[in-house]
Amino acid sequence: MKRFNVWAIPFVILALATMASPSQALAQTGNVTGRILDVSTQAPLESVQVSIAGQGIGGLTNTDGRFIISGVPVGTVTVRAQLLGYVTQNQQVTVSSGGAAAADFQLEVGALELEGVVVTALGISREERGIGYSVQGVDGAELLETRDTNIINNLAGKVAGLTVIPAAVLGGTTKMVLRGVSSISGNNEPLIVVDGIPMDNSRRETATSGGTRGATVRNRSGIDYGNMAQDIDPSNIESVTVLRGANAAALYGSRASNGVVEITTKSGRGTAGTVVSASTNVVFETPLRLVRYQNAFGGGATDGNYNWVDGRGAGVNDGVDESWGPALNAGLSFPQWWSDGISQPWLASPMNVREYFQTGHNVTTNVAIAHSSERANVRFSALRMDATGMPPQQGANRTQLAINAGVEVTPKLTIDGSVQYTESAGHNRPGVGNGSYSAIHIFNWFQRQVDGKRMQSASDLWDPNGGSLTPNWNHNYHDNVYWLQNFRSNDDSRNRITGQVTGNYQLNDWVTARVRMGTDWFEQLTKEVYPFYSQDTPEGGFVESSAFRQETNIEALITANRQLSSDFSLNVNGGANMRRNEFDLKEAGSRKLNVPDIYNVSNSASPPLLNNIVQYKEVNSLYGLVTLGFREFAFLDVTARNDWSSTLPEENRSYFYPSFSGSLVFTDAFDMASDFLSFGKIRGSWAKVGNDANPYQLTSVYSETDKFGNIPGFTTSNTIPNAGLRPEETRSWEIGTDLRFWFDRASLDLTYYNATTKDQILAVDVSGSSGYTRQVLNAGEVRNKGIEALLTLDILREQQNGIAWDITLNFGKNDSEVLALAEGLESIVIGRAGGIRGGVEARPGQPYGIFYGPDWQRNGSGNILVGDNGLPLRGDSKVLGDYQPDWIGGLRSSVTYGAFTFSAQVDTRKGGQIFCGSCRLGYRTGVLYESANSTATAWDPDGTTGRGMTVFPGVTASGATNQVAVAPRKLATRLDDVDTEWLFDNNYTKLREVAIGFDLPQQYLNKLPVSTARFTIVGRNLWLWTSVPHIDPESAAIEGSPSEANLAGIEYEQFPTARTFGFNVAVTH
Amino acid sequence: MSRQNQRTMLKTSDTSGGNKMKTTRTTYRSLAAGVLIALGLGVSACTEDFTAINTNPNAPTDVGVQYLLPAGIVNSVNALLGTGFDRGTASVWVQHYARLQYGGIDRYEIDGSFSDGLWSGLYTGALVDFDGMVVKATATGNANQAAVGRVMRAWMFHNMVDMWGDIPYSQALDGLAAGNITPTYDDASTVYTGLLAELTSASTQIVPTGSLFPDVFRGTIGNPDLIYNGDMEKWRLFANSLRLRMAMRIQNASDVSAAIAAGVFQSTGDEATMRWLGAPPNENPMAPAFISRPGDFRISKTMVDNLIAYDDPRLGIYADAALETGLFAGMPNGMNDSHGIEFEQVSRVGDWFLQSTTPTSIMSYAETSLLQAEAAVRGFAGGDAKSLYEAGIRASMETVGVSSANITAYLAGTKVAFAADQAGQLEQIGMQLWFALYDQGPEAWASYRRTGVPNLIAGPDNLNNNLIPVRLPYPQSEQSVNGANLSAANSAQGLGSDPFNVRLFWDIN
């Protein structure tokens, strides 16, 4: 018997005991009785909350719609009848002592149902009024028309406090963070749960050992295979609920400490007969923003001549790949890479980067059939997506089949299930970031006279068997960018099945048992090939991998629901879950091939690359939730969960964490609802969530090195393991309020939260002289606090003048602080990229994710000091900023007039910094607009660069203004060295979505075999306003190594983000 | 969720009679409690195989010495004689090579982060494995295995002292075994003394006729000893040759004579050499580096000019003729990136050194001969200085394929023929060490610092006040992970803000 946390016992006992507590009868003065019917069907309504306003007493109707409330004080009282989905009614009756006053109601279905129901943890549907923490719902319809290939991109700007870092490349990785980064080196993304089943949202695993990066196959990474949540089809989404932070998510356990995005898919339930719906979405995409290049100077480094002979330096400046050469469009002529030794005019090619990008397109078609009968319902949907990206030759497709069915086997037993099968494939995803594989990297060096069209037509002139290179402007450092995209190709495919089956059994009229089993299974295959005569891989190579991942959950939940008395209601949930994760990766490849073009291990001229990794993990859990309600206006929640994780040592394997939350609808409690304040609620909660580790961190192993011929070798692992690892702990509290004004026309939801994660499981750097680079510790503490606000305005409702207009505003502000790291540790480097000299770090006393690096030397008044040679002086490293925003916000509005609907969304980010790696490198290479347009004061006397000499605006040590002019290329080399120069305030506003919809009027529909038809013109990412030069600051998603998963704030040679526009047609029958 | 369904979930009314209801409720309450308890027991009982689940199935928790040695050899040779420190830095600073592009290193524009990877790569890449090898072999009483581990460990440690001066030594490599993650730095000369004793002990520990590994490791998959194929007598000579090198470094006459007396390399056949298989990843690291980035390095003008001045037949092997001119022209060191020299106006490093099968010399017979010649000149040991000097030159030239006739002619040259005076002889020996250690950056740099030969001039755009760096800066990472001990080492050696120019204890010329 393994350790059971004794603290869990009282909660279980409490849970059981409360179920048994008897109903209380109250003092008697008089009764109110009555019957409540549906006004239109005249059917009796059961479970209607009937209460005496201001008295705190009430009851529920029975199946016949009847109720009786006893103990009502004598006199005239207001009787209130409330039922979810119906308009609340009040009636005044006079109660006499010992008498029974009658109050019958006929309730009307509520057209405006503001007191919504939300799906909370474990799929438990609850009235919003009873929830003591912050949740936000997003309607599935909002995600559908302006659909993106990645569902996470669609959430950007819609959820208060949700930061989304979108992928620029078709099918790339989109990251999200709620309430700031809390885990220093672990995962910070919210858990995605679809129909109660956790959904894997990882990125493709890369090899963690085995030495697959060979000497000649460099830079093989840079392919972004995307995050797995892309497999979620927006057209199947009924609703999304975002449970922010630990409080809302405590019941989901460890992985939910960063919040949960809970998705409920559509089912056939509630369908009238058979409904067929179909929609087609066609969008086109073009680059939103490209780096602004100079067009005044062509290739070359140091003198005014150029002569192409072999692109390796045999000519004059032809081995150089910079753009500090002779002036363009100035009447000069030189032999160029395409001109066969003959001098040709030296002209700028201003569009040579722009014309590389094609108009991408994406056609998605979805068909769904839903049917419902008295005892069963079913929904089947099919989806096909075909897309091409902006880079030439890039494509992606997806086929998806989903079925969702429910059946009432007996009146007490229902079974629901859903299965989704997805097959997706990608072809020639472009390399991103710094690497010879990346087109954007090449464009940062692409000389301004290089003619892109000629490059493209030359890209087929390649004969791997004949030993010929593809014609290119430079053979020292680069491949022909079009040839790369054609021949240095990659393919990937993924098959995925997710599914669950749930049985609900009603033990009696207040106890229900639920058993659910679900799995998320996929296998992803990738293949990257490196042809002969590539700059990096003159002898070819390839890497092929197969990654398999599965998570299975088995859950049982018992729910008891009791109205203990007319005042108290009680809801108890007790459950258990078993979870198993499995991961299996196999890789094979070669660093050198015998025969060109055959990408098979049998063709390897060097020992083949072989690697495989398997990982297993299991977590068992027990949990409970007790909700006590008082007169439908005060609620108290207690949750408790105990996990047993296989990844922790036996003595720390079991860990327990509780949460408490409460809410009070004060407008009801004090009977103070008015025309101005129609509803008011305050809420508060406190939660603790434990978290476990990744597998295999408790013991040290030896890892295999590359074999020397046949001779195997093993080396000591670089990590000092921790046999006494403890679970991480997040403690969080929040308070909030939900206010509605003017008959619910305006509503405001405000939350303040404060969350601290400590004892983080970190692999911290240790001195290499210990023999190890890292040590696994429980250390580090990060606090995030902030506010979230959501304001909804129903300015015009449809009943008035046929116009409806609503506005939703959301706002999130988060302050993070690293409170502590491991003892004696000054900082943890989160990552470096983009040529940053310092790095992105976690340092105690600073926000998480600071830029720590060299600044200029400055005098007392902050002016930059310049040396005798006219070059500014590099100073010491210090904190230069941080990557987290001060606040983010979104504004969404829609106007409906007759058959037309117009909706738009703008979102904005203020504060934090971004390191523009493309700016840094582009200036260094001389292609950037500014590199040719700096403040030239005199013609370069040596005539060496063609550009004017420039005087750097700084001061000398004596305080005098610098007068010494330097060659701009020399200055560029110096600017390259100082991080301050490339950090920009990261403020931007984006016109995120626009949709103009038209519903076909009834008179036309009558002539068609459809019951509804809607046509929508849609656009996404249409406009960007920002102070950051050259790039879309939102795209700073660096493809870091697995240990750099939290690296952000650095842009480096990212693909341009897409501006998309198109249309959507949806019909139902 | 439809409203109908919500109502179903909220259903609470009860129409059954009182007594019946009570019974039913009790039954169901017991049932519910029973299910909960059963689940609880089930869940907690299912943790029994958790330890097995969390046992890493991908890698062993322990391996034998026969696996640590080959990995350690490849890793240490790549770290010390690969393209990072050796060819990337030391060979540039000692002006064997020069940077044509990205000349920061050639201008001494490096900071502590340069040493980060090098430092931890050496300690965690191979030293920890050689250390583990010594521990395991000592435990099993295998003297030859222990000695080989100690020789390789000493070779690495002395190279590291030559780079940084004081380094963690006595407390190093104990992160797992003793939990020491902040080792103190030991005084450089104390480390040298310790290493000499260590090598002496290893050399006497060796059973020259004994085997290193049982036959089972040799038959089918090849010998894990990638340097000497298990020849213990050669390991003994290597240990003593290293003693000679270190003793000459600190100019300790008795250690020098003791090392020579114990037996050092007698021919090129005794040399410690890494022989590559010629296919990735087991290839000479220079080959892929030059294939994919041919524009970064050229042979230094200093080297080419000296080879020409000495009329040295190694010129056409050390350098290729510049493609544009067909002439031998070196690249000047320490130029700004705006230097104006085109790629094919200057000579590349000779093809002989860039083949994927070109062996990497860990320590050569040429070096030991020249060191013995110097020892004889200085009176540290006996022997005929002239013949040792000429044997050293001959060995260096034969290794790269110079014909015997050309060697004989070279030896008669005015600059080469052994001088009559001691100062002239030492100058000639220093010069020949500098020529012979081409392609062995770390030792060439150390040898230059000790002898001061040749008289190197820092490049025109250097950022180190026209001084050639005489040590490497400590890693930046040490500041944040071992700060107190680093500070102590800095003050012990008088290192202030100057990371490059404080001489090591043996650098007293």
Side-chain angles (χ1 to χ4, degrees):
Chain A
M1 179 82 186
K2 296 292 176 278
R3 262 169 59 109
F4 178 86
N5 194 311
V6 290
W7 291 104
I9 295 170
F11 283 89
V12 175
I13 291 172
L14 177 69
L16 296 170
T18 46
M19 281 195 280
S21 65
S23 304
Q24 293 282 339
L26 290 179
Q28 63 275 39
T29 37
N31 296 338
V32 177
T33 62
R35 191 171 188 222
I36 302 182
L37 305 174
D38 183 303
V39 68
S40 53
T41 65
Q42 291 297 308
L45 293 172
E46 64 169 313
S47 301
V48 180
Q49 291 278 348
V50 189
S51 59
I52 309 298
Q55 300 291 331
I57 51 176
L60 293 173
T61 55
N62 63 15
T63 46
D64 197 32
R66 296 185 189 281
F67 69 93
I68 175 164
I69 304 171
S70 53
V72 183
V74 172
T76 302
V77 295
T78 302
V79 185
R80 177 173 297 162
Q82 290 172 294
L83 180 62
L84 214 55
Y86 286 83
V87 178
T88 300
Q89 280 186 18
N90 293 320
Q91 207 177 116
Q92 292 199 329
V93 293
T94 304
V95 179
S96 59
S97 179
D104 292 342
F105 292 84
Q106 300 214 341
L107 297 185
E108 191 182 351
V109 170
L112 295 163
E113 189 220 305
L114 278 160
E115 290 204 37
V117 166
V118 289
V119 181
T120 61
L122 304 180
I124 299 167
S125 296
R126 296 181 61 181
E127 285 182 79
E128 270 182 323
R129 62 161 50 215
I131 296 173
Y133 43 77
S134 165
V135 295
Q136 185 182 339
V138 177
D139 190 351
E142 280 185 35
L143 308 173
L144 184 55
E145 290 189 327
T146 51
R147 61 184 297 153
D148 192 279
T149 51
N150 197 324
I151 183 75
I152 310 300
N153 285 339
N154 276 117
L155 292 175
K158 292 191 177 71
V159 178
L162 178 75
T163 306
V164 172
I165 304 173
V169 181
L170 171 66
T173 300
T174 295
K175 302 185 199 174
M176 57 176 166
V177 175
L178 271 170
R179 293 189 174 176
V181 174
S182 60
S183 177
I184 291 172
S185 62
N187 175 38
N188 281 293
E189 296 216 24
L191 176 69
I192 297 178
V193 176
V194 179
D195 290 341
I197 300 302
M199 175 136 189
D200 187 272
N201 186 28
S202 61
R203 296 146 70 193
R204 172 181 170 269
E205 289 289 324
T206 51
T208 52
S209 67
T212 52
R213 280 161 208 232
T216 49
V217 178
R218 294 196 289 132
N219 301 327
R220 83 173 177 98
S221 66
I223 304 294
D224 180 357
Y225 290 98
N227 59 314
M228 303 296 170
Q230 296 185 69
D231 293 339
I232 299 168
D233 172 14
S235 51
N236 279 345
I237 295 178
E238 174 79 30
S239 69
V240 176
T241 307
V242 178
L243 310 178
R244 297 193 194 87
N247 304 65
L251 265 188
Y252 268 124
S254 308
R255 295 180 294 179
S257 57
N258 305 314
V260 175
V261 174
E262 199 167 49
I263 291 168
T264 307
T265 62
K266 289 175 181 163
S267 71
R269 202 175 289 132
T271 311
T274 304
V275 173
V276 180
S277 58
S279 70
T280 293
N281 184 278
V282 179
V283 294
F284 302 93
E285 54 181 43
T286 58
L288 176 61
R289 192 181 197 198
L290 288 173
V291 169
R292 186 177 182 191
Y293 298 102
Q294 58 92 3
N295 286 299
F297 302 97
T302 48
D303 75 36
N305 285 312
Y306 188 89
N307 178 11
W308 201 92
V309 173
D310 66 355
R312 289 187 180 277
V316 178
N317 277 320
D318 79 335
V320 168
D321 57 352
E322 298 172 23
S323 286
W324 298 94
L328 293 163
N329 305 335
L332 299 171
S333 290
F334 302 111
Q336 294 174 47
W337 65 272
W338 47 270
S339 69
D340 215 8
I342 298 159
S343 280
Q344 293 288 349
W346 188 246
L347 302 175
S349 219
M351 299 297 282
N352 63 359
V353 174
R354 179 63 188 83
E355 65 200 4
Y356 174 81
F357 296 96
Q358 305 180 338
T359 300
H361 76 263
N362 185 334
V363 179
T364 307
T365 302
N366 178 284
V367 178
I369 304 166
H371 177 83
S372 164
S373 66
E374 201 178 326
R375 306 267 304 264
N377 66 81
V378 64
R379 183 175 188 273
F380 171 81
S381 73
L383 170 137
R384 172 69 187 182
M385 185 270 281
D386 285 282
T388 61
M390 295 187 289
Q393 311 286 339
Q394 191 198 357
N397 63 64
R398 187 181 301 155
T399 306
Q400 200 164 61
L401 301 173
I403 189 160
N404 190 325
V407 61
E408 193 181 302
V409 180
T410 71
K412 286 179 183 277
L413 178 65
T414 59
I415 295 175
D416 293 284
S418 58
V419 183
Q420 176 180 284
Y421 170 75
T422 310
E423 181 187 284
S424 53
H427 175 63
N428 279 7
R429 294 170 187 260
V432 294
N434 179 30
S436 59
Y437 205 163
S438 156
I440 298 297
H441 174 73
I442 292 174
F443 290 145
N444 248 326
W445 296 89
F446 219 51
Q447 291 177 344
R448 303 306 304 144
Q449 85 284 359
V450 175
D451 182 337
K453 291 277 182 237
R454 282 184 204 278
M455 293 290 298
Q456 186 165 20
S457 50
S459 67
D460 289 337
L461 303 175
W462 171 61
D463 175 9
N465 294 299
S468 69
L469 288 168
T470 307
N472 193 18
W473 59 278
N474 179 294
H475 287 296
N476 249 339
Y477 301 106
H478 306 287
D479 287 322
N480 180 316
V481 67
Y482 290 93
W483 175 84
L484 262 186
Q485 189 65 14
N486 285 357
F487 294 102
R488 193 169 174 175
S489 64
N490 60 76
D491 281 282
D492 61 278
S493 65
R494 179 165 67 235
N495 286 299
R496 185 173 193 172
I497 296 172
T498 55
Q500 55 91 16
V501 59
T502 306
N504 272 293
Y505 187 74
Q506 198 160 11
L507 290 163
N508 65 14
D509 50 7
W510 57 279
V511 181
T512 309
R514 179 179 90 188
V515 177
R516 172 179 284 161
M517 182 172 166
T519 197
D520 178 4
W521 177 101
F522 68 80
E523 185 175 41
Q524 181 166 28
L525 306 173
T526 64
K527 185 163 187 171
E528 300 168 15
V529 307
Y530 314 110
F532 269 53
Y533 311 115
S534 168
Q535 172 55 35
D536 269 353
T537 57
E539 294 164 312
F542 75 97
V543 181
E544 192 171 353
S545 85
S546 150
F548 158 83
R549 203 182 261 287
Q550 181 168 24
E551 171 166 325
T552 304
N553 281 280
I554 302 171
E555 183 211 57
L557 185 75
I558 293 180
T559 301
N561 231 324
R562 283 294 281 169
Q563 186 73 23
L564 298 177
S565 70
S566 55
D567 283 344
F568 289 96
S569 64
L570 180 71
N571 178 292
V572 179
N573 293 274
N577 189 79
M578 291 173 79
R579 162 182 152 210
R580 181 176 169 87
N581 291 85
E582 191 175 341
F583 172 64
D584 189 342
L585 174 78
K586 293 181 176 69
E587 289 190 317
S590 169
R591 282 175 276 216
K592 184 178 180 179
L593 299 176
N594 291 312
V595 178
D597 263 359
I598 303 299
Y599 302 106
N600 190 301
V601 278
S602 63
N603 187 35
S604 186
S606 64
L609 298 163
L610 297 168
N611 182 40
N612 70 323
I613 296 170
V614 289
Q615 275 185 3
Y616 300 98
K617 175 174 176 172
E618 280 189 21
V619 179
N620 294 341
S621 311
L622 278 182
Y623 38 81
L625 161 68
V626 177
T627 300
L628 189 64
F630 178 69
R631 295 184 184 175
E632 281 296 302
F633 59 69
F635 299 88
L636 176 69
D637 275 19
V638 178
T639 74
R641 181 168 170 128
N642 201 92
D643 285 352
W644 291 261
S645 169
S646 69
T647 64
L648 294 170
E650 193 170 344
E651 64 274 18
N652 299 330
R653 186 173 285 159
S654 162
Y655 51 103
F656 173 76
Y657 41 98
S659 85
F660 306 90
S661 66
S663 74
L664 176 70
V665 182
F666 60 84
T667 44
D668 285 6
F670 308 112
D671 206 16
M672 56 187 284
S674 66
D675 287 356
F676 171 68
L677 182 66
S678 40
F679 177 87
K681 176 181 122 176
I682 53 169
R683 56 175 193 259
S685 75
W686 180 94
K688 175 181 151 180
V689 176
N691 200 0
D692 60 358
N694 289 326
Y696 315 141
Q697 298 203 53
L698 310 181
T699 49
S700 175
V701 293
Y702 289 84
S703 41
E704 194 181 8
T705 59
D706 284 320
K707 284 188 178 61
F708 192 88
N710 288 324
I711 301 166
F714 278 87
T715 183
T716 313
S717 153
N718 286 339
T719 303
I720 303 175
N722 189 336
L725 214 55
R726 286 173 286 121
E728 291 185 358
E729 185 182 307
T730 299
R731 284 167 195 262
S732 164
W733 60 269
E734 67 173 65
I735 51 170
T737 183
D738 180 2
L739 305 172
R740 296 174 199 168
F741 306 94
W742 298 297
F743 305 102
D744 296 355
R745 286 218 173 184
S747 65
L748 176 68
D749 192 313
L750 273 174
T751 309
Y752 172 85
Y753 61 87
N754 187 321
T756 303
T757 303
K758 65 172 191 177
D759 279 351
Q760 301 199 10
I761 295 169
L762 291 177
V764 301
D765 288 350
V766 296
S767 171
S769 56
S770 69
Y772 301 84
T773 53
R774 307 208 290 173
Q775 180 176 30
V776 178
L777 290 178
N778 281 109
E781 191 169 348
V782 176
R783 183 184 61 207
N784 283 283
K785 54 185 182 181
I787 53 172
E788 287 150 357
L790 184 67
L791 176 67
T792 310
L793 302 171
D794 263 330
I795 294 173
L796 293 174
R797 291 181 178 169
E798 192 135 21
Q799 295 94 328
Q800 298 155 327
N801 315 319
I803 303 179
W805 180 24
D806 63 65
I807 295 177
T808 308
L809 277 159
N810 70 67
F811 173 87
K813 176 175 170 52
N814 181 69
D815 287 314
S816 78
E817 187 181 346
V818 178
L819 299 177
L821 296 176
E823 201 182 327
L825 196 64
E826 258 183 36
S827 81
I828 289 178
V829 177
I830 300 161
R832 297 189 171 100
I836 195 166
R837 303 290 150 169
V840 178
E841 299 188 354
R843 269 182 190 255
Q846 297 285 344
Y848 181 87
I850 52 161
F851 293 100
Y852 189 88
D855 187 15
W856 296 113
Q857 286 184 32
R858 294 173 194 270
N859 67 11
S861 38
N863 295 317
I864 297 172
L865 290 175
V866 175
D868 297 340
N869 57 5
L871 292 172
L873 299 169
R874 172 175 150 151
D876 292 333
S877 287
K878 59 184 185 188
V879 176
L880 303 172
D882 75 286
Y883 77 62
Q884 301 209 53
D886 295 340
W887 59 263
I888 54 174
L891 185 157
R892 186 178 175 81
S893 181
S894 71
V895 177
T896 306
Y897 179 72
F900 290 93
T901 308
F902 174 85
S903 68
Q905 182 188 321
V906 170
D907 56 65
T908 192
R909 168 195 163 119
K910 177 79 173 65
Q913 276 75 36
I914 182 169
F915 182 86
C916 179
S918 293
C919 304
R920 179 197 68 80
L921 186 61
Y923 199 106
R924 170 77 183 70
T925 61
V927 299
L928 208 68
Y929 176 77
E930 287 84 353
S931 72
N933 296 277
S934 56
T935 52
T937 56
W939 186 251
D940 181 352
D942 301 321
T944 53
T945 68
R947 285 160 159 105
M949 296 286 279
T950 184
V951 176
F952 186 83
V955 296
T956 63
S958 66
T961 303
N962 173 43
Q963 308 266 343
V964 182
V966 292
R969 185 171 182 270
K970 218 168 198 174
L971 179 62
T973 316
R974 179 54 56 91
L975 297 180
D976 191 26
D977 268 349
V978 175
D979 292 346
T980 326
E981 207 57 28
W982 312 108
L983 278 173
F984 300 95
D985 286 339
N986 192 354
N987 305 329
Y988 63 80
T989 300
K990 261 194 174 180
L991 177 55
R992 179 77 57 188
E993 292 179 4
V994 171
I996 302 165
F998 173 70
D999 285 301
L1000 205 60
Q1002 198 60 44
Q1003 65 261 37
Y1004 302 108
L1005 288 174
N1006 291 342
K1007 297 169 190 160
L1008 296 169
V1010 296
S1011 54
T1012 69
R1014 184 173 167 84
F1015 180 81
T1016 319
I1017 297 168
V1018 296
R1020 281 183 59 76
N1021 294 324
L1022 293 174
W1023 209 261
L1024 168 71
W1025 297 267
T1026 181
S1027 53
V1028 180
H1030 298 296
I1031 56 164
D1032 179 352
E1034 201 180 32
S1035 68
I1038 288 292
E1039 173 75 1
S1041 64
S1043 65
E1044 293 183 337
N1046 294 319
L1047 178 59
I1050 294 181
E1051 179 280 338
Y1052 196 30
E1053 302 184 331
Q1054 294 299 304
F1055 253 80
T1057 48
R1059 167 188 280 146
T1060 62
F1061 50 91
F1063 60 88
N1064 195 71
V1065 182
V1067 294
T1068 58
H1069 173 70
Chain B
M1 174 168 292
S2 72
R3 292 191 181 100
Q4 179 62 44
N5 195 51
Q6 287 156 18
R7 283 209 301 282
T8 311
M9 293 192 63
L10 294 169
K11 186 194 260 183
T12 54
S13 69
D14 178 30
T15 50
S16 43
N19 279 339
K20 185 192 166 202
M21 180 182 156
K22 204 160 216 167
T23 323
T24 317
R25 193 189 289 166
T26 313
T27 309
Y28 283 130
R29 203 178 292 151
S30 319
L31 185 62
V35 170
L36 262 183
I37 290 163
L39 275 172
L41 292 175
V43 160
S44 51
C46 275
T47 61
E48 250 146 36
D49 52 350
F50 272 19
T51 303
I53 290 169
N54 202 38
T55 300
N56 191 335
N58 303 300
T61 50
D62 197 15
V63 295
V65 166
Q66 70 272 22
Y67 299 110
L68 294 177
L69 180 63
I73 290 172
V74 172
N75 285 339
S76 61
V77 168
N78 274 320
L80 280 172
L81 298 165
T83 50
F85 175 63
D86 170 33
R87 279 76 167 218
T89 309
S91 288
V92 171
W93 288 358
V94 77
Q95 300 190 5
H96 286 170
Y97 302 162
R99 296 289 300 211
L100 182 62
Q101 290 262 301
Y102 311 109
I105 277 171
D106 212 345
R107 296 189 296 271
Y108 319 132
E109 273 185 73
I110 64 168
D111 56 26
S113 64
F114 170 83
S115 290
D116 284 355
L118 181 61
W119 174 276
S120 75
L122 290 165
Y123 276 111
T124 70
L127 264 178
V128 70
D129 291 329
F130 290 135
D131 202 58
M133 181 177 165
V134 175
V135 170
K136 286 173 195 286
T138 306
T140 58
N142 191 321
N144 280 348
Q145 289 177 359
V148 167
R150 292 167 84 184
V151 171
M152 290 306 289
R153 189 172 64 180
W155 171 64
M156 292 188 73
F157 268 129
H158 99 71
N159 267 288
M160 292 161 72
V161 171
D162 295 346
M163 294 177 201
W164 289 290
D166 296 1
I167 54 165
Y169 173 67
S170 54
Q171 293 185 7
L173 309 171
D174 265 348
L176 183 58
N180 188 349
I181 56 166
T182 53
T184 56
Y185 288 58
D186 292 286
D187 172 70
S189 67
T190 313
V191 178
Y192 249 67
T193 312
L195 291 175
L196 276 165
E198 179 78 4
L199 285 168
T200 308
S201 162
S203 148
T204 50
Q205 185 181 22
I206 286 170
V207 184
T209 53
S211 69
L212 183 56
F213 293 105
D215 288 343
V216 63
F217 297 122
R218 278 186 259 153
T220 51
I221 56 168
N223 198 305
D225 174 4
L226 305 179
I227 296 176
Y228 286 126
N229 218 24
D231 186 333
M232 292 314 298
E233 170 61 9
K234 287 183 178 168
W235 275 109
R236 201 182 67 81
L237 299 181
F238 179 33
N240 293 327
S241 299
L242 277 174
R243 283 168 67 191
L244 170 63
R245 175 195 274 183
M246 292 176 64
M248 283 301 291
R249 196 95 88 223
I250 60 174
Q251 298 281 293
N252 184 315
S254 61
D255 282 341
V256 169
S257 60
I260 293 170
V264 296
F265 294 153
Q266 298 303 305
S267 72
T268 52
D270 295 339
E271 291 180 357
T273 304
M274 182 73 200
R275 288 178 189 80
W276 301 103
L277 298 176
N282 304 312
E283 61 183 335
N284 170 21
M286 287 290 274
F290 267 74
I291 289 168
S292 65
R293 297 301 292 266
D296 285 357
F297 288 96
R298 290 293 182 268
I299 185 170
S300 164
K301 184 174 191 304
T302 314
M303 177 54 94
V304 170
D305 290 355
N306 273 297
L307 288 168
I308 291 170
Y310 276 73
D311 202 11
D312 194 315
R314 285 172 290 196
L315 174 63
I317 299 160
Y318 281 17
D320 283 349
L323 285 180
E324 196 174 310
T325 59
L327 302 173
F328 290 100
M331 173 72 204
N333 283 94
M335 302 282 281
N336 197 289
D337 282 346
S338 314
H339 51 63
I341 295 164
E342 287 164 24
F343 285 63
E344 306 305 355
Q345 291 173 338
V346 281
S347 295
R348 297 184 183 207
V349 172
D351 275 346
W352 192 89
F353 293 93
L354 307 183
Q355 303 307 306
S356 58
T357 50
T358 304
T360 297
S361 178
I362 297 167
M363 188 171 186
S364 68
Y365 168 60
E367 182 192 341
T368 51
S369 295
L370 290 166
L371 290 176
Q372 284 185 83
E374 184 183 336
V377 170
R378 291 187 189 275
F380 292 169
D384 176 18
K386 180 168 184 290
S387 59
L388 286 163
Y389 166 75
E390 291 184 347
I393 295 171
R394 190 172 288 279
S396 165
M397 292 195 162
E398 280 172 353
T399 302
V400 296
V402 177
S403 71
S404 183
N406 283 346
I407 297 171
T408 308
Y410 178 71
L411 291 175
T414 48
K415 284 177 172 278
V416 182
F418 206 46
D421 62 310
Q422 195 198 33
Q425 290 169 348
L426 291 176
E427 166 87 22
Q428 282 177 323
I429 293 167
M431 201 64 203
Q432 289 302 329
L433 276 169
W434 186 72
F435 284 134
L437 291 169
Y438 189 66
D439 202 40
Q440 296 174 52
E443 186 53 29
W445 182 42
S447 176
Y448 155 75
R449 283 177 287 165
R450 179 178 70 81
T451 62
V453 179
N455 182 27
L456 300 177
I457 310 293
D461 294 321
N462 78 81
L463 298 175
N464 191 37
N465 298 317
N466 298 325
L467 297 170
I468 308 263
V470 295
R471 70 193 305 149
L472 281 178
Y474 282 117
Q476 226 162 43
S477 57
E478 279 290 284
Q479 181 58 50
S480 62
V481 295
N482 197 12
N485 291 323
L486 175 68
S487 299
N490 274 326
S491 47
Q493 296 170 95
L495 295 173
S497 58
D498 180 356
F500 291 130
N501 302 317
V502 175
R503 292 174 173 218
L504 297 187
F505 74 100
W506 48 252
D507 187 1
I508 50 173
N509 62 329

